[in-house]
């Protein structure tokens, strides 16, 4: 590498996480330091979380009571959802309600059309096994995915349109990216 400019070096199209890069730290006395690809990319990109809901959680997750946070709000940020997978497991009596499962930013601010995704009549009549719903960027729920409020500084939540009877549990897998508002 002696007597070569960085622009003259061979390209490495797929660096490994333990490969090392040179970086100039300008926070103090401009000093060249090293950083691994893993440390440079930590915190960037997609995050996926699993939220497990008990029977009591699903029975209480009505929009104006106890919606479930999948991602808490962050100042000057927008939660940009990529996908939500809901896997509900039957555990007792069949769900007798015909309420919908919805997700979006801030259930309390949502109107009838303000949501990112929905499954109508969620778990209605299910009396065994599991019920799975997958939501992605091409959802067609609500009013063309238009919100009547700002989604900056809002949590991303999951809720129901009424009180579920319960008798089941649910695992929610939520993938998202945080972006600056």
């Amino acid at each position: 590498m002696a007597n070569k400019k960085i622009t003259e070096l061979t390209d490495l199209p797929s660096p490994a996480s333990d490969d090392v890069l040179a970086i100039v730290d300008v926070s103090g006395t401009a000093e060249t330091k090293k950083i691994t690809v893993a440390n440079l990319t930590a915190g960037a990109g997609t995050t996926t979380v699993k939220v497990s809901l008990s029977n009591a959680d699903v029975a209480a997750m009505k929009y104006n009571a106890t919606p479930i946070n999948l991602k808490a709000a962050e100042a000057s940020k927008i939660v940009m959802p990529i996908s939500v997978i809901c896997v509900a497991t039957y555990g007792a009596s069949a769900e007798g309600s015909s309420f919908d499962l919805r997700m979006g930013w801030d259930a309390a601010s949502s109107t009838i059309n303000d949501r990112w995704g929905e499954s109508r009549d969620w778990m209605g009549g299910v009396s065994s096994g599991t019920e799975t719903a997958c939501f992605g960027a091409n959802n067609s729920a609500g009013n063309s995915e238009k919100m009547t409020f700002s989604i900056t500084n809002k949590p991303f939540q999951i809720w129901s349109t009424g009180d579920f009877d319960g008798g089941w549990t649910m695992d929610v897998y939520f993938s998202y990216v945080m972006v600056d508002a």
Side-chain angles (χ1 to χ4, degrees):
M1 183 167 124
N3 298 323
K4 277 192 176 182
K5 295 179 179 180
I6 290 179
T7 56
E8 297 171 330
L9 298 175
T10 304
D11 183 46
L12 179 61
S14 299
S17 63
D18 59 348
D19 284 343
V20 178
L21 305 167
I23 190 165
V24 178
D25 181 1
V26 297
S27 61
T29 59
E31 181 181 354
T32 302
K33 297 180 178 180
K34 67 179 182 178
I35 188 167
T36 63
V37 170
N39 284 341
L40 181 64
T41 59
T46 304
T47 301
T48 300
V49 296
K50 176 184 176 183
V51 178
S52 294
L53 305 177
S54 69
N55 180 48
D57 293 332
V58 298
M61 63 188 279
K62 188 176 175 187
Y63 69 95
N64 62 356
T66 315
I68 307 294
N69 277 349
L70 298 179
K71 172 64 179 117
E74 290 185 26
S76 302
K77 299 275 188 181
I78 295 173
V79 180
M80 186 172 69
I82 296 171
S83 67
V84 177
I85 298 174
C86 300
V87 181
T89 303
Y90 163 80
S93 60
E95 177 66 48
S97 76
S98 60
F99 295 116
D100 303 339
L101 181 70
R102 293 184 176 172
M103 62 219 60
W105 299 268
D106 192 17
S109 298
S110 294
T111 66
I112 194 163
N113 293 320
D114 296 331
R115 60 192 175 277
W116 181 78
E118 122 179 284
S119 181
R120 300 196 45 86
D121 194 21
W122 180 251
M123 291 296 285
V126 173
S127 60
S128 66
T130 61
E131 183 99 350
T132 302
C134 302
F135 305 89
N138 293 325
N139 287 329
S140 63
N143 190 16
S144 301
E145 294 83 35
K146 294 178 185 174
M147 303 302 132
T148 57
F149 56 89
S150 171
I151 61 174
T152 301
N153 306 327
K154 296 287 187 184
F156 195 84
Q157 299 176 317
I158 190 165
W159 66 89
S160 64
T161 56
D163 294 321
F164 287 130
D165 297 338
W168 45 278
T169 59
M170 184 165 61
D171 287 329
V172 181
Y173 302 88
F174 177 47
S175 296
Y176 64 93
V177 174
M178 295 301 295
V179 295
D180 292 329

